[in-house]
Amino acid sequence: MANTRQSGEADTLLFILGAPKTASTSLCGLVNCHPGVFVMCEVDLNGKRLSRWGQKLLRAHPDLRPYFSQDFGEYLEAYRRVQSHLARTGYVTHFFGDKFASIDCNYHADLGKARIIFSVRYLPEWLAKDSVRAEYSFDHDIVPLAVQYTRHFLESFLLERVLHVRLEDFLGSNEQIVADIWKFLDLEKPAGGDTWWQSIGKYPASDPKAALNWWRGHASSAVAPRCNDTRVELAEQPFWNEILPVFGKYYVGCRMGKRFTAPEVLRDIDLLDRLPKSFSLPFQAAYRNFYSQSLNPELKKSAHAGQSRTGWLNAARNLFRPGD
């Protein structure tokens, strides 16, 4: 498809948002299978300190240093300038941007007219994910984190141009999700787009994507989508009766393409903010049963030990064989 956009405009900026463990990194790999799309992985040009991935990018492309940690007056301006800079060096993109895995709120105003792909996972399932529990240490009380996660999700409905991708759909209907994403971006699906995971880590050395070897720390993102790794059975608790109808309204709504008005979203966020004052719920009391699978620790070890890119990716793909 011919590129009719001007590099650096808001219409050429693309961000992937979502909490950790919602397939946001897989989505980063998916969109990057297109030669005209470069979505970085947690580089954060506007951060006060250089991120791990920002350091990697600058080691390979030190000419980008003037665009990091600068006050350009608008959040998106640093991304516009880097995209324009890359275009002047011959690296022209239909879309350029970043991926952030976070539950930080108050982001929608900064992102303006940029396109956003937002990943989301069913709330009780996300809370029960083993790595989420390890990262946030909330077993004594799930309520504050559940509210923060849901609040972060609801805020995405205040964005001007957003495509929501639910993890269960990404795993169960990947071909449709792939089609939805390229339609959202007004781009034709690239060659090999249905097997996008096979392109991860196979970028030309001159391609800036190659500098960000994020796939070494995200093994499950570099393979074909497979079955869900977490299962839950909820206990009867008043807190679930309060938060799940709010979460479910938007979780079901986004699958149906439903729009919500800003006043409605803000009213529901206000309702969420009041819940921690009324409820406290330990993790073990919130579930009758739950199961969550961890990534093979030997594979993680090999990724950090510097195993070759081809060898490590083959190991990952053997571990996550479809149908296992």
Side-chain angles (χ1 to χ4, degrees):
M1 176 178 290
N3 183 9
T4 59
R5 307 180 184 92
Q6 296 298 309
S7 180
E9 294 179 354
D11 192 49
T12 68
L13 297 180
L14 170 65
F15 293 85
I16 297 173
L17 306 183
K21 306 306 173 183
T22 60
S24 62
T25 308
S26 292
L27 290 168
C28 186
L30 191 164
V31 299
N32 278 316
C33 82
H34 196 294
V37 176
F38 179 22
V39 173
M40 303 181 295
C41 182
E42 301 173 22
V43 167
D44 190 7
L45 296 176
N46 295 293
K48 293 182 179 180
R49 298 178 61 182
L50 277 177
S51 70
R52 170 190 176 190
W53 302 109
Q55 293 175 34
K56 284 180 175 289
L57 183 64
L58 286 180
R59 281 197 291 270
H61 299 276
D63 52 313
L64 298 179
R65 187 62 183 89
Y67 307 110
F68 278 74
S69 307
Q70 302 294 320
D71 182 6
F72 292 119
E74 182 189 355
Y75 183 85
L76 296 179
E77 183 59 23
Y79 290 91
R80 294 191 187 100
R81 295 191 183 202
V82 169
Q83 186 182 31
S84 295
H85 178 96
L86 291 173
R88 289 194 297 272
T89 67
Y91 188 78
V92 179
T93 53
H94 295 281
F95 286 101
F96 174 74
D98 215 337
K99 187 275 286 190
F100 298 108
S102 167
I103 55 172
D104 293 340
C105 296
N106 302 317
Y107 55 83
H108 75 278
D110 285 338
L111 296 174
K113 296 183 181 299
R115 299 194 197 200
I116 312 298
I117 299 174
F118 191 98
S119 60
V120 62
R121 188 172 194 164
Y122 181 53
L123 170 63
E125 181 184 291
W126 181 79
L127 291 167
K129 173 64 181 166
D130 55 356
S131 50
V132 171
R133 293 177 67 196
E135 179 174 352
Y136 291 99
S137 301
F138 59 93
D139 280 8
H140 65 290
D141 185 8
I142 71 168
V143 173
L145 188 65
V147 167
Q148 180 74 3
Y149 175 84
T150 305
R151 197 183 195 282
H152 180 258
F153 173 43
L154 265 60
E155 186 179 344
S156 68
F157 289 85
L158 300 175
L159 295 165
E160 292 188 42
R161 309 177 77 176
V162 59
L163 173 69
H164 292 94
V165 176
R166 309 189 312 175
L167 179 65
E168 64 184 87
D169 300 323
F170 182 77
L171 297 175
S173 306
N174 192 252
E175 288 187 9
Q176 183 59 55
I177 294 300
V178 168
D180 290 345
I181 286 173
W182 298 123
K183 181 179 179 181
F184 175 66
L185 298 179
D186 298 321
L187 292 175
E188 292 180 0
K189 181 172 63 179
D194 286 329
T195 53
W196 50 266
W197 55 89
Q198 295 182 358
S199 71
I200 293 174
K202 297 180 180 179
Y203 313 116
S206 60
D207 192 323
K209 296 175 189 178
L212 300 172
N213 57 348
W214 52 262
W215 49 89
R216 285 186 174 274
H218 298 272
S220 60
S221 302
V223 295
R226 53 171 290 173
C227 61
N228 203 331
D229 60 8
T230 303
R231 299 285 188 274
V232 297
E233 181 182 356
L234 301 184
E236 290 290 337
Q237 290 288 353
F239 174 67
W240 291 131
N241 297 335
E242 291 293 325
I243 197 167
L244 287 182
V246 179
F247 178 85
K249 168 182 169 182
Y250 293 87
Y251 190 69
V252 174
C254 71
R255 186 66 185 94
M256 300 170 61
K258 186 174 181 181
R259 306 281 297 183
F260 299 93
T261 65
E264 183 177 10
V265 174
L266 294 174
R267 282 196 301 271
D268 286 334
I269 288 176
D270 183 63
L271 186 154
L272 290 171
D273 289 342
R274 295 197 296 268
L275 293 181
K277 298 177 183 178
S278 303
F279 296 96
S280 178
L281 181 60
F283 180 88
Q284 295 294 339
Y287 297 89
R288 285 201 182 98
N289 291 294
F290 64 92
Y291 165 81
S292 187
Q293 180 183 33
S294 295
L295 176 63
N296 186 319
E298 291 304 313
L299 186 59
K300 283 188 175 180
K301 186 186 300 182
S302 72
H304 293 291
Q307 186 180 102
S308 72
R309 177 174 62 187
T310 300
W312 181 82
L313 286 173
N314 287 339
R317 286 159 183 156
N318 287 334
L319 175 65
F320 289 97
R321 292 191 304 272
D324 283 0

